[in-house]
Each structure stands twice: as C-alpha cells, then as structure tokens.
Amino acid sequence: MKTKNPVIIQVSQGGGAFYCGKGIKDDGYKASTAGSVALAHHVRTVAPLYGVPVIIHSDHCAKKLLPWFDGMLEADEAYHKANGEPLFSSHMLDLSDEPDNENIDICAKYLTRMAPMKIWLEMEIGITGGAEDGVDNSGVAKDKLYTSPEQVYSVYEKLAPISPYFSVAAAFGNVHGVYKPGNVKLSPELLGGHQEFAAGKTGKAKPLFLVFHGGSGSTPDEIKTAVGHGVVKMNIDTDTQWAYWEGLKDFYKAKEGYLQGQIGNPEGEDKPNKSFYDPRVWLRKSEATMITRVELAFKELGCDATMSK
C-alpha cells in the first residue's frame, strides 16, 4: 500500500447491481445482493495482499431497499457460521425519509440481529440533500438538513443498550455532490452540540460516533471541525468519481493521436495502438488519480499514514 492506511471499500445498492451486471434484471434486488456479496468475497480474497486492514461496508439503504439489506445479512450469517466472523464489516440503514420513531425502531431491530456478529451499523437521522445513486433529495426543505441534539440522542438511547457498534450520520447542512460556494451552508460545529448534549445525559465525554455525509467539496477547516467533534467516517463519493474520470480525461488528451483507430498514430500510419486503448492501461490512469484524491482525504482527516505511527 502506498500510504499505510486502513481503507473502507463501500458498495451501494446501485453499485452492487452494476457489479453483478447491468444485463441482469434486479427483481427483488437479487442482482444487487449477488453483486454486493460477490464484491465482499472478492475483497476478502485480495485484501490480505495489501497489508492494511480493509473494512467492507454497504452504503445508503432506504426502506424500499430492505430486501437488499436482508440478503447481505443472510450472507453475513452464513459466513459467520462457517468462519466465526461476518462477511461484511458494517452496513448502513438510511431511513431518514421515515418518521424518527420508525427510523430508530427499524435500526434497533436490525442492530439486534447484527450484534451477535459484531457488525457495525451506520444510520442516518436528518436528511442529506442533493442526489446520489438514484435517491434525489434536492428539493427537501432546508430545515430537514439540520439534525437536533435531541434527535441524535434518541438514537443513542435506543441503540446503545443493544450494541456499542453503531454510528450516526447527523445532518448539518450536508448535500451530496459539489456546488458553487455559498449554495450550501455546512455547520459542522453543530456536531459539538450533539456531543455535549449526549455527554450531559450519559456522563461520558464524546459518547457519539458520527459520520460526515456529502463530504465532497468541503473545506479543510470544515473537515477538521467535524473530526474534532467525533466524526469517524466521511463520504466523498462525488470527489472520487470526478478523480477517476479525470485520470481517463487526462490520458485521452495526452494520447489522443494514439486513440483514433487500432492502427496509425503520430509515429506512423502503420503503428499499432493496442498498448494505448487496452482498458487496463486507461483504467489504471483513473485509479492513479483517485489514489491521489484519497491521499488528500487522509491528510485532511488527520489520519495520514496511520499504521506508520
């Protein structure tokens, strides 16, 4: 590994369906489940070669996607029975569109099932704006983008007696995607208020594990403030998607004359171009630019070269 950092490999429902193959009908989210489970097995097979801990995580699962969640948990239970540990490290339930009491009750039901396997549950209360992976919250009322301390503590109060393995994605103005400065007002200092409120109730300093959704485009100061208030995970899907595309874009611009046909380039009309259009070549360029973006995230999160310290 280039940076000696633990990493999270995260799969969404749409990502699982893509991994399975877009030609497969996703009736009952069977393709999403199969793709997600296949990805988890792939990661478990190759991860030891990289020499760093790898967390396998499933992302936003709305209420309508619960059959996908159930399918992954069934795979966890089967793997746990055979190996003494679950297939996935953690899962996320995003029931933020539901009433708070229903959101929390469903999370409690699933955490009870996950607890014997020590699977981490990430949940969301308060809505992340914008659009991501087929979920569009771009028209949501602005007050919904800010979670109250009471809401966050109600999650802790319900889940903590079940298992310590859970985190809360509390909204503080978060929006999926990247927008012009001034269009989105992040208030990560609110997370400090959530911790203080929960500390007053529990007598524990910083009892909450918090998650930063919609981290793409955030400033270093916003990230530092969020981490200081107990954020343990930040999502930067939009930024990593752009970084991946940027590698391909830059490669095409640099090698355009070699990518117009199978034969013929600036070096001669009979010269072959296979070494330029081979997908392994340009996909690696995309990976390299995404690695650079992830390295920046490690530094901004204050966890650069964790395993070297």
Side-chain angles (χ1 to χ4, degrees):
M1 280 291 287
K2 196 174 179 182
T3 65
K4 296 299 177 185
N5 278 87
V7 296
I8 301 173
I9 303 297
Q10 181 165 287
V11 62
S12 64
Q13 176 266 325
F18 185 86
Y19 198 87
C20 180
K22 294 296 285 185
I24 304 298
K25 288 190 69 175
D26 202 14
D27 295 334
Y29 301 106
K30 292 178 181 177
S32 300
T33 302
S36 300
V37 169
L39 181 144
H41 280 290
H42 171 81
V43 171
R44 280 193 167 275
T45 300
V46 302
L49 303 177
Y50 287 82
V52 296
V54 179
I55 293 169
I56 311 172
H57 176 71
S58 67
D59 198 23
H60 293 266
C61 177
K63 187 176 181 180
K64 67 180 181 180
L65 302 180
L66 286 176
W68 168 57
F69 199 93
D70 290 332
M72 291 185 292
L73 277 186
E74 288 171 8
D76 282 321
E77 288 163 342
Y79 195 91
H80 185 271
K81 184 176 180 179
N83 300 282
E85 60 182 85
L87 179 61
F88 289 82
S89 315
S90 61
H91 296 292
M92 186 209 169
L93 283 171
D94 181 359
L95 305 172
S96 55
D97 281 341
E98 312 307 324
D100 285 358
N101 61 336
E102 183 179 0
N103 179 355
I104 296 169
D105 285 347
I106 293 175
C107 286
K109 182 187 78 170
Y110 276 103
L111 187 59
T112 299
R113 183 176 173 185
M114 296 159 67
M117 297 181 282
K118 296 185 178 180
I119 302 175
W120 192 278
L121 173 67
E122 177 184 334
M123 68 84 69
E124 181 166 349
I125 190 162
I127 293 174
T128 300
E132 182 79 353
D133 204 42
V135 177
D136 189 353
N137 288 326
S138 55
V140 72
K142 287 189 177 180
D143 63 306
K144 296 291 186 181
L145 302 180
Y146 299 91
T147 310
S148 72
E150 290 81 6
Q151 285 177 291
V152 176
Y153 183 69
S154 66
V155 176
Y156 181 90
E157 193 174 31
K158 184 81 171 186
L159 301 188
I162 300 171
S163 169
Y165 304 120
F166 69 92
S167 53
V168 182
F172 52 95
N174 317 62
V175 174
H176 287 131
V178 176
Y179 298 85
K180 288 183 179 180
N183 285 7
V184 174
K185 172 58 178 172
L186 280 181
S187 300
E189 67 277 2
L190 294 177
L191 301 179
H194 301 337
Q195 292 284 17
E196 289 175 11
F197 186 88
K201 293 286 189 179
T202 64
K204 302 175 183 177
K206 289 187 180 178
L208 305 172
F209 293 108
L210 300 171
V211 179
F212 186 164
H213 282 181
S216 294
S218 301
T219 68
D221 283 344
E222 288 169 338
I223 294 169
K224 185 176 181 179
T225 298
V227 171
H229 291 315
V231 161
V232 297
K233 174 176 175 278
M234 181 178 76
N235 290 6
I236 52 168
D237 184 59
T238 301
D239 275 359
T240 52
Q241 285 181 349
W242 174 260
Y244 199 86
W245 156 248
E246 192 170 35
L248 173 55
K249 173 177 66 72
D250 292 347
F251 176 72
Y252 181 83
K253 285 184 175 180
K255 303 297 181 182
E256 187 171 359
Y258 298 83
L259 297 167
Q260 303 308 307
Q262 289 183 290
I263 297 174
N265 60 47
E267 297 176 29
E269 61 181 21
D270 60 344
K271 295 290 185 179
N273 295 318
K274 183 173 173 56
S275 62
F276 297 96
Y277 64 75
D278 183 334
R280 292 169 296 182
V281 175
W282 47 265
L283 283 172
R284 184 55 186 166
K285 298 297 182 181
S286 292
E287 291 174 348
T289 45
M290 190 164 73
I291 288 169
T292 300
R293 179 60 185 88
V294 172
E295 287 176 326
L296 174 62
F298 287 144
K299 291 176 182 176
E300 291 182 338
L301 289 164
C303 60
D304 186 37
T306 300
M307 296 180 66
S308 299
K309 295 176 182 178

